[in-house]
């Protein structure tokens, strides 16, 4: 069984794809939503759509919420994301993986396609 960090190349942009960047992101199966650093949100001119209380290992944080276009392994969608002043890297949460029809293969440590469930 694979034990370790899973890094993937992702493209991120504003929902209209006017500004797009490519970065290395850490897949975080313990995170519900994708998290991006505030500096990247500002670079992409992302609009804040609200606030979310997130439970972390260090306690509760109130984070700004946004929508971001994301492409991973040729699959793309606009998804909700959180903006962090503390986390300095992009973390890919499980809802983003699910929306894109991807999951982590624990044997290889790679992302693989999976079937989206309707029940």
């Amino acid at each position: 069984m694979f034990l370790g960090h899973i890094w993937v190349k992702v493209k991120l942009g504003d929902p209209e794809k006017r500004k797009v960047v490519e970065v290395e992101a850490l897949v975080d199966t313990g995170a519900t939503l994708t998290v991006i650093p505030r500096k990247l949100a500002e670079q992409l001119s992302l609009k804040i759509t609200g606030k979310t209380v997130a439970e972390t290992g260090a306690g509760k944080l109130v984070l700004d919420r946004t929508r971001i276009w994301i492409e991973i392994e040729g699959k793309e969608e606009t998804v909700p994301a959180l903006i962090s002043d503390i986390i300095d890297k992009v973390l890919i949460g499980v809802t983003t993986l699910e929306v894109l029809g991807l999951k982590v293969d624990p044997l290889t440590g790679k992302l693989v396609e999976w079937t989206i469930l309707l029940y």
Side-chain angles (χ1 to χ4, degrees):
M1 184 161 105
F2 175 83
L3 296 174
H5 296 100
I6 300 169
W7 291 90
V8 293
K9 284 189 180 184
V10 301
K11 290 181 183 175
L12 301 170
D14 63 287
E16 293 79 30
K17 296 190 267 184
R18 291 181 299 239
K19 296 179 183 179
V20 175
V21 298
E22 187 170 350
V23 300
E24 288 282 322
L26 179 63
V27 176
D28 185 351
T29 58
T32 303
L33 295 177
T34 291
V35 180
I36 61 169
R38 181 161 311 273
K39 183 176 180 179
L40 181 57
E42 291 170 350
Q43 178 184 348
L44 296 173
S45 302
L46 297 177
K47 295 177 186 167
I48 294 171
T49 59
K51 296 207 178 282
T52 297
V53 176
E55 186 75 38
T56 73
K60 291 183 180 181
L61 295 176
V62 178
L63 300 174
D64 288 330
R65 191 175 178 123
T66 190
R67 295 194 55 76
I68 190 167
W69 172 82
I70 188 165
E71 180 183 312
I72 304 174
E73 297 190 5
K75 295 176 171 276
E76 64 179 277
E77 188 60 74
T78 300
V79 297
L82 300 176
I83 300 170
S84 176
D85 292 311
I86 299 168
I87 298 170
D88 63 352
K89 61 185 66 57
V90 175
L91 303 179
I92 305 300
V94 292
T95 51
T96 297
L97 294 177
E98 289 174 355
V99 165
L100 295 175
L102 297 169
K103 70 175 183 176
V104 174
D105 180 338
L107 297 177
T108 64
K110 304 234 183 262
L111 294 180
V112 294
E113 289 189 34
W114 77 292
T115 302
I116 294 175
L117 302 175
L118 295 177
Y119 56 89

